[in-house]
Amino acid sequence: MYDLIIIGGGPAGYNAAERAAHGGLKTLLIEKKALGGVCLNEGCIPTKTLLYSAKIYDYAKHGEEYGVKFTGAEINHPFVIERKDKVVKTLVSGVAAKLKKAGVEVINGTAVVQNKAANGFNVIVGDDGNRPAGTTGGLPSAPAQNIYSSKYLLICSGSEAAIPPIPGLKEGLADNFCLTNREILDLKEIPKNLAVIGGGVIGLEMASYFNSIGVKVTVIEMLDKIGGPIDGEIADILYKNYAKKGIDFKLGAKVMAFGKNSVEFELNGEKIALNADKVLVSIGRKASSQNLGLENINVLTERGAIVTDDSGRTSVANVYAAGDVNGKSMLAHTAYREGEVCVNNILGKKDRINYNSIPAVIYTNPEVAAVGETTESVKQKCLKASVHSFTLKYSGRYVAENENGDGIVKIIVDENTRNIIGLHMIGSYASEIIYGAAMMIDTKMRVDDVRKIVFPHPTVGEVIREGCFMI
C-alpha cells in the first residue's frame, strides 16, 4: 500500500515524485516509456540541443560582421543528432538517480486505474509490449497484471502530437514522409526541402534549425500570423527576421491533403501543391488521457483533458492531475509547478498555481519570451491598460552583440494600479530574462517598484528598468 501513485514520469510526474518522497509519502512512479517524458526525450531538451548547434553555425557563417572570419564552416547533422542522444541519455540517467536517492519506487509499465478501494485506489500495471527497444532507462519492468494500491493518485500522463484527419496524412506518417516532433529529432539525413505544417512553437523552432543548416523551409500556417498566442508585434518582427533568412511562409493557408511527395493547401481561394522531401506536422498537442481507466473511477474530462482546479484537484476526491494531461498550459515548467502544487495539497499545505504569471519562450534566433497579458488580450478583456514598446537598442550590450538587431520589449501596465500585467520580448537572452518579468507579475509589482531595482550593466535586461522610467 502506497501513499501516492503517480502515473507518468515526465516533468510533472518525476518532479512531484521527488517532492512527495521528501515530504514523507511512500511514492510509486509508473512510466510506460522513459523517464523525462516528451520534454526530455522528444521535445524541450533535444530540440534545444539542435538549436544550439545551429546557433554556433550561424555565428560562424556571419562572423565577418563582427570582425571574425571563418573558412569552410559546415554542419555535421548526424553528429548533431548523436550529441542530442548523448545529452538526453545523460539527463534521463540523472532523473533516475535523483528519484532513487529520494526513495521513490519507479517501475516501467502501462498503468490502468482499476477501481476505488476501501482505503484508496487500485492500479493494474503490466508490460503492453509496445515500448521501443532501449527506452526503459534501466527501470525494472512491472510484473504482468500486478496490482498496486494507494490512498492518492496523481495523473501525469502528458500529451501527444495532434494528428488531424487530413487525407493522405495517415499514409504519409506510415512511409516516413510525414513526421511528428518525435521522428524529426531522429532524422539522420538532411532533406533539401522541408514543409512545416503549423507556425507555433514546435514548427518555428524546427523551421529555425533546418533553415540555419541550409534546408529550404516552407511554413504553412492556418492563422494570419505565426507564433500562436504571442503578441502580434513580436510575431511580426519574428516573421520578418525569418523571411529575410529565406523561410517561405504561407499564412492563412489550409492544408487539404498529402500526396506522395507533396502537400496540397488552399490559399486565397487557390489550390496549391508544394513538393517536399519531408513534412513536419506540428499543429498542436492533445492530452493523453485515453486507456488509463479514468472512467472506472468517474474522473471528469473535457475534450480529452482532465478537468482540474488551480490546486490540481480533479472531480474525484484524492485524485489529482498535473502537466499536459489537464490541457491548461502545455509547458514543462508549468508541469513542474502543477505537480508541486498537487503534492503540497496532498501533504496538507494549501497551494495553488497562478496561470497568469507563467512565462513562455520560443527558442528561435532571435528568441521570443512572454508572460502575462498581450496587446490583443487587453482589448479582448476590455482591460484599462497601457502598452509601451521599447527598442532593445537602449541596451549597450544588445547593440554590441547584435548587428542590425531589431529586438524590442513591450511592457503592459494596468492604468488603475500601475502594476505590470504583461511583458514581451524578442531578442538575445529573452529566455533568461523573462523569469524576472514573471516575478514582477506574480508579486504585483508596480512600475515605480521596478524603477528601484538595480539591474546589472551592461545587460539586455536593463531595458526593462529603462523602459519603466519612460512609462
Side-chain angles (χ1 to χ4, degrees), residues 214-386:
V215 175
K216 172 59 181 173
V217 178
T218 302
V219 175
I220 303 171
E221 167 58 50
M222 186 180 295
L223 300 178
D224 60 0
K225 62 184 280 288
I226 61 173
I230 68 171
D231 182 272
E233 186 179 3
I234 299 285
D236 187 53
I237 293 172
L238 185 64
Y239 172 90
K240 290 176 180 176
N241 269 266
Y242 273 95
K244 284 181 182 177
K245 293 179 180 181
I247 292 181
D248 187 8
F249 290 97
K250 306 295 184 182
L251 304 183
K254 183 180 180 181
V255 176
M256 307 299 293
F258 294 90
K260 183 172 179 59
N261 288 294
S262 67
V263 182
E264 298 173 18
F265 61 94
E266 187 176 294
L267 178 62
N268 298 325
E270 181 184 358
K271 292 184 178 179
I272 302 170
L274 174 71
N275 291 326
D277 298 315
K278 295 288 182 182
V279 176
L280 169 63
V281 181
S282 55
I283 62 165
R285 301 187 66 79
K286 63 178 182 178
S288 298
S289 63
Q290 301 298 313
N291 305 316
L292 295 174
L294 299 180
E295 66 280 2
N296 295 333
I297 56 173
N298 298 315
V299 172
L300 178 64
T301 63
E302 289 183 357
R303 296 187 297 276
I306 297 177
V307 177
T308 61
D309 62 14
D310 59 6
S311 292
R313 295 183 178 90
T314 70
S315 59
V316 178
N318 294 347
V319 179
Y320 292 76
D324 287 6
V325 74
N326 66 26
K328 292 179 181 289
S329 171
M330 291 188 174
L331 300 167
H333 45 278
T334 305
Y336 284 135
R337 177 64 182 141
E338 286 175 334
E340 291 170 351
V341 166
C342 292
V343 169
N344 286 339
N345 283 291
I346 290 171
L347 290 169
K349 306 172 186 176
K350 289 185 179 180
D351 199 1
R352 57 178 291 276
I353 185 168
N354 181 5
Y355 288 102
N356 292 326
S357 58
I358 294 174
V361 177
I362 305 178
Y363 293 87
T364 44
N365 186 16
E367 293 181 345
V368 172
V371 61
E373 302 292 348
T374 66
T375 306
E376 292 78 12
S377 69
V378 163
K379 294 177 181 177
Q380 292 167 1
K381 297 177 182 179
C382 298
L383 300 178
K384 192 175 181 181
S386 56

